Amino acid sequence: MGKVNGIPTVFSIDNVSGTPVDISALVTNCTINTSRALQDVTGLDKDGTERITLRGDWSIDVAGSEDDVNTIDPIFLDPANLRTLAITMNGRDFGAEGVISSFNEARNADGSLGWTANIQQAGGESLGDVWS
Amino acid sequence: MTTKMSGVGAALLVNQYDISGDVGALTSMGYSRGLQDVTGLDKDGTERIGLRIDSEMSYAAFWNTSAGRSVAVLEPLTEALVTFCRRASLGSPTRTLTGVKSSWSVARGQDGSMAANGQIQASNGRPIEGGYLLTSGKQTFASAAAGTYIDRGAGSASSFGAAAVLHVISLGSGTATVKVQESSDHSTWADALTFANVSGATSEYKRTSSLTATIRRYVRIDVSGTFTNLVAVVAVVPYRSQQS
């Protein structure tokens, strides 16, 4: 039985100064999307479809809560500079350079406060090197 | 071990108005930015660089037609200096946006309810900025005095200047001068920036004259002049990286 859950997961991202910050305690959920463009190279002689792989890409959607020492502020409130991400899941590690694309907070009517962010690939790494 | 925080007890200032009680939710406040694909021929993955940043705040408000409350403040689609305070207390995180109120949608429900939603979009070329409250929420200064300092923590000094925002809700009489000061030891203070003299309700966003100015660990406000009962909210945004 090799099936496992995602507990615990470690989520580390550089702040604007390039210092890695472990924000695992403040991240409630994240989705890592990896994809690769495909080129349709189907010849006239084929009944089915032929494809070859092109450039790879990844993006991360992450959401979380906030704390009393403004941990997320130096990370997401100033999106300058590329950020090193290091995410350790159960049995797999993700590591790459990303750029913050968006950041949004919401103070909801029930009093809850949370944030979401989108980070996209910036470092040009091969997908084969991103996951280990 | 940090403590996780809710948004209960937050505050919202728009220009010289405190409309915290008339807004039930800030449905979004943040930024998005364009990204340019700069992937070289030699790469298997994707290379990107960040481009221009655009910021906005969206809110859900209740219907209050009293002077200085939600309808009077939010309905005119004009410039606005907006500060969200996570708590109305000294040192609380803030979000400040200089923007233009771009929409105001009123809904009268079949049940008789009345509410409004709207959006404020960045207008001064600056993104939404995160800082700290230098007042205990809406604080009253009966006369000239220095505010209580905040401690940004060891290693927090930076040399990228700062911005600050002043919301004056009211002034009893006279003229007040509000400064933001910084210090390495909370004993000897240096002026970081000075707002325009205050002679009534007003608001102002200001940056340090130099964007290489050093902002050290401790920050406070200093209020001088001859006046009575200045009621104000002040927040500071010490920059953590080079600004333009």
Side-chain angles (χ1 to χ4, degrees):
Chain A
M1 174 68 175
K3 297 177 185 176
V4 294
N5 60 29
I7 304 171
T9 293
V10 177
F11 193 110
S12 172
I13 181 173
D14 284 356
N15 63 22
V16 70
S17 303
T19 304
V21 182
D22 181 349
I23 58 170
S24 309
L26 295 176
V27 172
T28 54
N29 57 286
C30 68
T31 304
I32 304 172
N33 313 291
T34 52
S35 61
R36 191 174 280 285
L38 301 175
Q39 182 178 357
D40 187 326
V41 292
T42 310
L44 295 176
D45 59 336
K46 291 294 187 300
D47 183 37
T49 303
E50 295 174 294
R51 290 187 179 90
I52 56 174
T53 57
L54 306 176
R55 224 170 61 193
D57 197 5
W58 61 260
S59 68
I60 295 176
D61 293 303
V62 56
S65 58
E66 304 192 16
D67 65 8
D68 58 341
V69 294
N70 312 338
T71 299
I72 64 165
D73 285 23
I75 299 169
F76 292 111
L77 260 294
D78 187 340
N81 306 327
L82 300 187
R83 309 302 175 88
T84 300
L85 288 126
I87 304 170
T88 302
M89 295 176 158
N90 212 334
R92 297 290 283 170
D93 294 335
F94 177 94
E97 292 286 314
V99 58
I100 298 170
S101 168
S102 66
F103 174 71
N104 262 290
E105 295 174 288
R107 193 286 189 189
N108 301 301
D110 62 1
S112 61
L113 181 70
W115 55 271
T116 59
N118 176 263
I119 306 160
Q120 298 195 27
Q121 183 175 23
E125 311 91 340
S126 171
L127 290 184
D129 297 329
V130 165
W131 284 106
S132 60
Chain B
M1 186 68 174
T2 64
T3 302
K4 297 179 185 181
M5 306 285 283
S6 72
V8 175
L12 185 69
L13 289 301
V14 178
N15 298 334
Q16 67 268 40
Y17 303 107
D18 176 3
I19 58 168
S20 310
D22 294 338
V23 173
L26 283 160
T27 50
S28 75
M29 49 183 164
Y31 64 82
S32 60
R33 68 193 309 204
L35 299 176
Q36 182 179 359
D37 188 326
V38 292
T39 310
L41 295 174
D42 57 338
K43 291 294 187 299
D44 181 44
T46 304
E47 295 174 296
R48 291 186 177 90
I49 55 174
L51 304 176
R52 216 173 62 196
I53 298 170
D54 194 9
S55 300
E56 63 89 32
M57 284 186 178
S58 296
Y59 59 83
F62 308 116
W63 195 255
N64 188 338
T65 54
S66 300
R69 303 306 294 263
S70 60
V71 173
V73 173
L74 296 171
E75 183 184 61
L77 300 183
T78 53
E79 291 275 336
L81 177 58
V82 186
T83 299
F84 169 78
C85 313
R86 196 190 300 168
R87 289 277 190 284
S89 56
L90 183 74
S92 170
T94 59
R95 306 289 184 253
T96 293
L97 179 67
T98 301
V100 62
K101 289 172 277 181
S102 58
S103 69
W104 167 256
S105 302
V106 178
R108 198 284 191 187
Q110 191 175 15
D111 60 358
S113 60
M114 194 77 175
N117 296 298
Q119 186 182 41
I120 300 160
Q121 299 189 40
S123 67
N124 71 338
R126 300 292 310 151
I128 194 167
E129 296 182 318
Y132 309 90
L133 263 184
L134 294 180
T135 51
S136 53
K138 205 165 51 177
Q139 185 170 346
T140 300
F141 292 85
S143 58
T148 304
Y149 65 81
I150 62 166
D151 178 0
R152 300 194 296 131
S156 60
S158 56
S159 298
F160 303 109
V165 58
L166 168 68
H167 297 272
V168 175
I169 312 303
S170 61
L171 179 68
S173 65
T175 301
T177 302
V178 180
K179 297 177 179 178
V180 174
Q181 298 182 319
E182 52 88 30
S183 168
S184 61
D185 57 5
H186 60 81
S187 175
T188 303
W189 295 89
D191 294 346
L193 61 84
T194 304
F195 292 103
N197 288 342
V198 172
S199 55
T202 185
S203 62
E204 183 180 0
Y205 170 91
K206 185 156 189 175
R207 301 169 88 183
T208 50
S209 56
S210 167
L211 290 177
T212 58
T214 297
I215 305 298
R216 294 172 291 181
R217 174 172 176 172
Y218 302 95
V219 185
R220 72 175 188 182
I221 62 167
D222 180 75
V223 186
S224 59
T226 302
F227 63 90
T228 58
N229 294 333
L230 171 72
V231 181
V233 175
V234 182
V236 64
V237 181
Y239 290 133
R240 303 178 180 91
S241 67
Q242 187 65 54
Q243 304 293 307
S244 57

